[in-house]
Amino acid sequence: RSPKDPPRDSAHVMKILCIRHTQDEVAQDPDRLVAKQFAKWHPDGFRDDDAMFGGRRDPCLSERGVWEAGTGITDEGLRLELNKQGYGGLPQGLRCKAEEFQAELILCSPLARAVQTALVAFDKSPAAILVHPGLKEVNRKGYGPTAKHPRGKPGAQGIGGKMLQHAVYRHPRSSGAFADASLVPEEWFKPHDSWASMCKTVDEFALWLSARPERRIAVVSHGGFFKQWLKVEMGHGHFVEGELAAHDDDPSPAFMLTKFSSGVQLYV
């Protein structure tokens, strides 16, 4: 059965684990340099064009981001201090939670920081990773061109599906499970996308998700996406867990939150 276009059950409830990606790199910040294992994520010469965009496109995880997605930051004082900035993650990292959840399918945004969080957190999982363009960044203010960013916000822009597939091939998980970027178009960032269009994308993803045949699905995305979809604000490297239910006679999927990590600071 293809993971891309599943049949719809008449009614079912699925368990959903939602994770916000962990800390990403920031240019010229010595504490947020790109993690060594993802230093070759993009093709040669990719960073040469960043200046035209006014900033770093598609940032990768930092070393701390890899720790947060994996077994956690061992210095508890540092972790707590970073959590004040929204970046400390869980005491034992996300991998422990990922293994406990036992996902049947892992979905993630096409941006590098989300894909890499999924690769590290679910490193030992036998479940496939499916990259979904509907999980991209969303923001009420939009990502359109400005004087500083003439081609749109750099951090919201990622690589196309073919290049992304090559990147995940070069960064396999220890489980050997597949990561599939075939749903991602070559051009998926829309700098002039309206807020109404972004909200529609979120709603369409939720409906697509509710039709999945799996019963345990993990979703790795961004703060703006989860705020719009679930009405929660999550720190980086934190999670919410819940149940998604849908019926053929009422196709609107209803999400009921059941569990929060400590970095879920606000229910709006």
Side-chain angles (χ1 to χ4, degrees):
R1 184 180 293 177
S2 169
K4 301 173 190 176
D5 190 20
R8 184 184 178 93
D9 289 351
S10 60
H12 71 268
V13 176
M14 64 176 69
K15 303 287 187 181
I16 306 291
L17 172 64
C18 296
I19 292 172
R20 186 178 181 184
H21 71 84
T22 56
Q23 189 191 72
D24 53 356
E25 61 173 318
V26 172
Q28 300 175 338
D29 184 339
D31 291 325
R32 293 182 63 172
L33 299 177
V34 62
K36 291 181 180 179
Q37 73 184 79
F38 295 122
K40 299 293 185 181
W41 182 263
H42 298 105
D44 292 342
F46 179 81
R47 288 273 166 251
D48 296 344
D49 295 331
D50 281 351
M52 294 189 299
F53 291 79
R56 180 149 298 202
R57 294 168 296 151
D58 200 25
C60 295
L61 292 188
S62 66
E63 290 291 356
R64 286 175 179 171
V66 171
W67 298 340
E68 293 161 13
T71 55
I73 294 175
T74 56
D75 184 332
E76 182 64 1
L78 175 61
R79 188 189 72 83
L80 293 174
E81 185 61 30
L82 287 171
N83 262 328
K84 294 178 182 178
Q85 306 166 29
Y87 283 102
L90 306 177
Q92 295 179 309
L94 286 170
R95 188 173 296 160
C96 181
K97 181 62 185 177
E99 292 176 358
E100 172 194 302
F101 184 72
Q102 297 185 332
E104 298 170 31
L105 178 66
I106 302 144
L107 303 171
C108 68
S109 155
L111 288 163
R113 52 195 180 274
V115 182
Q116 292 165 5
T117 297
L119 289 172
V120 176
F122 294 91
D123 177 64
K124 299 179 181 179
S125 173
I129 291 175
L130 181 60
V131 187
H132 196 295
L135 288 168
K136 63 185 179 181
E137 289 266 24
V138 302
N139 189 300
R140 187 179 294 273
K141 295 180 180 179
Y143 299 108
T146 64
K148 183 177 179 181
H149 302 132
R151 301 191 182 189
K153 186 177 179 182
Q157 303 183 45
I159 54 181
K162 292 179 181 178
M163 198 178 292
L164 184 55
Q165 191 66 66
H166 286 303
V168 296
Y169 277 147
R170 294 194 303 270
H171 297 80
R173 290 181 284 164
S174 65
S175 68
F178 188 58
D180 183 357
S182 62
L183 291 180
V184 181
E186 290 308 295
E187 299 288 339
W188 55 265
F189 174 69
K190 301 176 182 178
H192 297 286
D193 218 5
S194 68
W195 176 238
S197 176
M198 293 183 199
C199 292
K200 182 180 178 183
T201 297
V202 174
D203 292 342
E204 288 174 346
F205 169 78
L207 191 60
W208 178 91
L209 178 64
S210 71
R212 296 294 317 178
E214 297 87 0
R215 293 299 188 269
R216 304 185 72 83
I217 297 179
V219 179
V220 183
S221 187
H222 308 274
F225 179 89
F226 288 128
K227 185 173 182 180
Q228 174 58 24
W229 180 31
L230 304 180
K231 312 307 178 193
V232 298
E233 290 188 352
M234 300 166 60
H236 295 83
H238 284 269
F239 73 89
V240 298
E241 200 171 334
E243 296 179 348
L244 186 70
H247 302 264
D248 279 343
D249 56 355
D250 181 11
S252 299
F255 193 100
M256 181 176 70
L257 301 178
T258 58
K259 192 179 296 184
F260 302 75
S261 64
S262 61
V264 180
Q265 300 169 348
L266 180 64
Y267 186 76
V268 294

